[in-house]
Amino acid sequence: SGSGSSSGSSSCFSTEKRVGEVSRATKETSISVKVDLDGSGKCIANTGLGFLDHMIQQLSKHGRFDINIECNGDLHIDDHHTTEDCGLALGEAFDQALGARKGIVRFGNAMCPLDEALSRVVVDISSRPHAVVDLQLTREMIGGVSAEMLIHFLESFAQTARVTLHVHNLYGKNNHHKVESSFKALGVA
């Protein structure tokens, strides 16, 4: 169990559902997201970007959150709007699910490996959005997602989730592994 689990407070016995649902439509994207913080790690991710889907699945699995995210975006242009708006919508759903933020452990941290890569994530459920993200990426693209947009996804998530987020890849060679170990650590934290 990660550092983010509840510590004997009333939330252990609460019957209140911690679920957030968001629909977001802009000129560029149409997104629906549902998050259940007390799930089992089930995930349906259809963003149109396979690598982004894979990362959201890792967040879901290792955080034991149920996440359902569907996005139709302007991928004929590039990955920017889809990636950013998915981060914003997912963060908003997390914020909604957290509700009044009572009976939770405020701070969480985790270090997770993937083969040769090791990443550390520290989360403060502070209601003060801020993100420091250093993934040490050396490739422009990973799958169909640009490296800069993976960083921006995490920043966008922190903004609307209203959390302080520090994500650092400590070392690694494979860029896929660096990013995946970071998303795994985010879920655990």
Side-chain angles (χ1 to χ4, degrees), residues 110-162:
M111 290 196 332
C112 289
L114 180 57
D115 297 344
E116 86 299 341
L118 180 66
S119 295
R120 175 185 60 220
V121 173
V122 180
V123 178
D124 179 3
I125 302 176
S126 61
S127 298
R128 291 187 307 278
H130 187 77
V132 176
V133 181
D134 184 2
L135 298 179
Q136 301 286 325
L137 300 177
T138 58
R139 286 176 39 199
E140 186 176 323
M141 300 289 290
I142 304 172
V145 185
S146 56
E148 67 186 0
M149 288 313 302
L150 291 163
I151 294 164
H152 193 52
F153 175 90
L154 293 167
E155 293 167 341
S156 298
F157 172 82
Q159 177 185 347
T160 54
R162 298 185 313 121

Side-chain angles (χ1 to χ4, degrees), residues 17-22 33-37 66 68 89-90 92-98:
K17 295 260 185 197
R18 297 190 311 157
V19 174
E21 288 189 68
V22 171
V33 180
K34 182 175 181 181
V35 172
D36 181 349
L37 297 181
D66 290 347
N68 187 332
L90 186 61
E92 190 177 341
F94 266 81
D95 182 49
Q96 193 182 99
L98 284 165

